[in-house]
Amino acid sequence: MNNKNSLVTKLAFLSVSFMVTSAYAIQGSLPQLKAALGISQTQSEYLVTTPSFAVMIFVVLSPLLQQWFNISDKKIIMAGVTIVGLAGIVPMFANDYTAILISRLVLGAGFGLYNSQAISMISVWYEGTTRAQMLGWRAAAEQIGQACTLAIAGLILSYAGWHASFAVYLLAFVVLFFFAVRVPDDSKAQDNNVAEDDLAEELTEVEEPIKKISPVVYLLVLFAFLLVVDYVGMENRFPGLTVAIKGSSYTGSSMFLSLMLIGATLGGLFYGSINKVLGFNTVYLGLGLMAISNFLFAFANGNFAMLVIGLLLIGFPLQLVSPLIFNLLPDLAPAKRQPLVTSMVLIGFNFGAFFSPTIAEWMNRLVGRPMSGLDLAAPFPIYGVMLIVIALIIFFATRHSKQAN
């Protein structure tokens, strides 16, 4: 059996998380897809966000399927990665919008099938500081994977067109082989009583001062939803805005989207240090920087450098705010309800990603701006103001709470 502590085996565990955010790999191709298929801006954006809808469903179904058919975590992950590879390459051979949209839905089913298991396998096989380290690396692998698949798809787009850019999903088969060969079957670990259920039982043995789920959890779900509506909306609108500024032949937006994800990775890496200094005030720093990013993006008005700065700035503060949401959950629900409230927040994030195109279209209609050209930036002044309002609500609510105590 492969040594679980070897670097190669650890990389194999992390490799499946490399692909889990690759739904966004085709964002740079959206202007070309829109023109080739004769679809609207909103329809093109749904090609990116539709997988999030399927993820929400299959994150719930996946453990049930494992229970019904007695499937190990390793096998369900392999099944999910296989679906990602097969569904991902369908648009290489399709010219029909509906067929491509269905393939993206199936792609999301693949992601949802193994997303939580990619985390649980690490919890099964590793303990203590090694487990914490591996879970941190897994989160970084998602960001790095999104950046790399975006860059690769963008490079292919430049040389071979939008059909060929979907060849980036062939990487799923490389990941599948690596994972299958190097990662042990988790049924052995379960036989040794190292399963997650045992860990949950240990947690529930501790006396729980918190008896029920706080209503604040539902506000955090809404907060997560709004954050991702903004973040994914900016990612989706950026390629169209670059084409409006640089011309229809411009295909370089994927590079900037990849750079933005490096900023997001840095935000996650430095969150702990910043939170140690600022504490809860980290949320104000994150929301303030996100608001500035939105205003730069919104008012670039043909200034390419200003547009890019706005985009690059959005990732870092998002990764300051989103971990804070999860950090608050242990104080808002009993230990035995933590999986439920965590899933609720994850669903909030995925709902935000899925509905981002429709909400952005509503914002354009609200301000009476068309869904084309530089007017694609129309929603972002509204999002910027919304973030400032949220920061003010949090500030006054927490101050009122302190005074009441």
Side-chain angles (χ1 to χ4, degrees):
M1 185 180 73
N2 294 318
N3 180 7
K4 68 178 183 180
N5 292 313
S6 73
L7 178 61
V8 176
T9 302
K10 286 181 176 179
L11 289 174
F13 272 102
L14 300 171
S15 64
V16 289
S17 293
F18 182 88
M19 290 300 297
V20 82
T21 50
S22 61
Y24 300 95
I26 63 157
Q27 282 175 319
S29 308
L30 291 185
Q32 289 73 25
L33 274 161
K34 179 184 172 184
L37 300 177
I39 56 179
S40 69
Q41 177 68 28
T42 302
Q43 285 176 309
S44 70
E45 291 175 11
Y46 268 117
L47 291 176
V48 174
T49 64
T50 290
S52 296
F53 182 76
V55 167
M56 288 185 289
I57 297 171
F58 278 84
V59 159
V60 176
L61 284 180
S62 180
L64 297 176
L65 292 172
Q66 284 187 269
Q67 184 179 349
W68 293 338
F69 298 104
N70 194 26
I71 306 172
S72 68
D73 280 352
K74 180 178 179 179
K75 289 176 181 175
I76 202 79
I77 290 171
M78 290 174 63
V81 176
T82 301
I83 291 170
V84 167
L86 293 173
I89 62 172
V90 167
M92 291 180 66
F93 315 103
N95 288 296
D96 177 68
Y97 176 75
T98 302
I100 295 174
L101 189 67
I102 291 171
S103 75
R104 301 294 289 174
L105 198 63
V106 177
L107 178 78
F111 292 139
L113 205 58
Y114 79 86
N115 197 349
S116 59
Q117 283 75 8
I119 301 171
S120 65
M121 270 204 83
I122 292 173
S123 296
V124 167
W125 279 101
Y126 295 95
E127 298 177 352
T129 55
T130 304
R131 178 192 294 158
Q133 185 184 57
M134 285 289 288
L135 290 172
W137 287 353
R138 190 208 65 81
E142 287 189 359
Q143 298 292 335
I144 294 167
Q146 187 178 345
C148 289
T149 53
L150 256 170
I152 293 168
L155 189 65
I156 297 171
L157 172 70
S158 300
Y159 289 99
W162 70 267
H163 274 297
S165 67
F166 286 88
V168 71
Y169 290 103
L170 291 171
L171 286 172
F173 298 109
V174 178
V175 167
L176 178 65
F177 177 77
F178 185 35
F179 182 83
V181 170
R182 292 296 311 188
V183 171
D185 194 317
D186 49 302
S187 60
K188 297 183 179 69
Q190 290 163 357
D191 290 340
N192 291 326
N193 298 318
V194 197
E196 297 161 274
D197 292 341
D198 301 327
L199 300 172
E201 286 173 11
E202 290 175 14
L203 289 173
T204 54
E205 287 173 6
V206 180
E207 185 180 351
E208 297 175 4
I210 303 170
K211 299 298 182 184
K212 61 180 181 179
I213 297 174
S214 167
V216 176
V217 170
Y218 305 107
L219 292 177
L220 290 178
V221 173
L222 178 61
F223 188 24
F225 173 85
L226 294 173
L227 286 175
V228 179
V229 164
D230 179 24
Y231 177 73
V232 173
M234 189 176 291
E235 286 185 304
N236 285 340
R237 292 291 175 94
F238 179 73
L241 285 163
T242 60
V243 166
I245 296 170
K246 292 285 190 177
S248 59
S249 61
Y250 183 74
T251 58
S253 59
S254 293
M255 179 184 68
F256 294 108
L257 288 166
S258 297
L259 289 173
M260 181 270 290
L261 291 166
I262 293 173
T265 303
L266 291 174
L269 292 174
F270 285 108
Y271 166 75
S273 300
I274 294 172
N275 189 60
K276 187 176 181 180
V277 175
L278 297 179
F280 187 75
N281 291 326
T282 303
V283 73
Y284 303 122
L285 174 64
L287 289 173
L289 289 175
M290 284 188 75
I292 292 170
S293 168
N294 275 271
F295 292 135
L296 287 170
F297 196 83
F299 299 119
N301 197 29
N303 185 322
F304 187 75
M306 188 171 168
L307 185 77
V308 168
I309 292 169
L311 174 80
L312 297 181
L313 184 58
I314 191 75
F316 183 85
L318 178 72
Q319 294 304 322
L320 295 182
V321 178
S322 56
L324 189 66
I325 293 175
F326 290 105
N327 282 351
L328 292 172
L329 294 179
D331 297 323
L332 299 171
K336 63 183 179 181
R337 293 293 185 183
Q338 287 301 309
L340 172 63
V341 295
T342 301
S343 296
M344 288 168 62
V345 172
L346 287 172
I347 288 171
F349 278 122
N350 278 286
F351 255 109
F354 177 67
F355 286 111
S356 178
T358 295
I359 293 173
E361 183 179 4
W362 288 347
M363 295 301 105
N364 270 77
R365 291 180 179 178
L366 181 67
V367 296
R369 305 279 284 277
M371 291 280 292
S372 60
L374 297 178
D375 289 312
L376 291 175
F380 299 98
I382 301 172
Y383 293 163
V385 171
M386 177 185 71
L387 291 166
I388 293 172
V389 170
I390 289 172
L392 290 172
I393 291 171
I394 293 172
F395 175 76
F396 287 112
T398 52
R399 192 171 75 165
H400 177 73
S401 177
K402 287 177 183 177
Q403 289 174 348
N405 294 331

